[in-house]
Amino acid sequence: MLHALALNCTLKPSPSESSGDLLAQQVLDALAPHGVEGEIVRVVDFDVKPGVEADMGDGDEWPAIREKVMAADILVFATPTWMGHMSSVAQRVLERLDAELSETDDEGRPILAGKVAVVAVVGNEDGAHAIIADAYQGLGDVGFSIPSQGGVYWNGEAMHTTDYKDLPETPEKVASTTQTLARHAAHLAKVLAEQPYPAP
């Protein structure tokens, strides 16, 4: 069985309700029929220090999250939209993942090269397409593979306060996109597990 880790980059610490948690869980639920188990980590609940090293010391709690990233086959990168951009927590996660650029496996491949990443974005304003593009670039740079149609998002009406978690039901387009994302992510993860990228 494959394993997925969803990093919810909401700015709201637990136990506050989070739309990012909801969409991330929907992605995990869609992955389950394809032989993928998963868990969600709310990054803001941990003391993740700024920096670009695997361990910034002084109580840094990123190393524990990093272990989960390394154990996962699929990363679900979930972020809200704030002022048209990904959250500062999401940006910090990308910065911390930058440390993996210098890490390789026993055959010299980038350590993240066998892993898949998908992106989920929620917000009450425009910006999801740009956020997904930025996330794709960062995740791809550090070694993740992005599947076809590997992003899902929901934008609420501009200047209004309805959140994704407050909707009476999941919009059909979001639900169908989530299913496609999960199907493609699971397929790519299985392909990479059976046929890794060639070693240098």
Side-chain angles (χ1 to χ4, degrees), residues 55-193:
D55 188 345
M56 297 304 298
D58 193 28
D60 183 24
E61 293 185 292
W62 174 254
I65 298 174
R66 179 183 181 273
E67 285 185 13
K68 291 179 179 289
V69 173
M70 294 304 163
D73 303 287
I74 300 171
L75 177 69
V76 180
F77 185 80
T79 178
T81 304
W82 284 110
M83 299 182 180
H85 300 275
M86 70 177 72
S87 73
S88 57
V89 175
Q91 182 63 41
R92 180 160 297 184
V93 166
L94 290 179
E95 290 163 353
R96 295 305 300 270
L97 287 170
D98 184 75
E100 309 312 325
L101 281 170
S102 60
E103 300 294 326
T104 57
D105 66 13
D106 293 340
E107 296 186 50
R109 288 179 287 249
I111 199 167
L112 296 175
K115 300 181 185 300
V116 171
V118 295
V119 181
V121 180
V122 290
N124 301 97
E125 56 185 299
D126 196 9
H129 275 182
I131 290 170
I132 290 172
D134 282 351
Y136 277 3
Q137 181 68 48
L139 293 165
D141 276 354
V142 298
F144 288 98
S145 294
I146 313 297
S148 169
Q149 298 178 311
V152 60
Y153 69 90
W154 178 82
N155 279 345
E157 189 175 357
M159 310 297 286
H160 284 242
T161 58
T162 300
D163 289 334
Y164 183 65
K165 61 181 174 54
D166 299 324
L167 299 178
E169 60 183 8
T170 301
E172 190 279 329
K173 286 294 186 182
V174 176
S176 62
T177 300
T178 299
Q179 292 295 325
T180 299
L181 174 153
R183 187 168 60 250
H184 292 181
H187 172 76
L188 181 56
K190 290 171 185 174
V191 169
L192 289 175

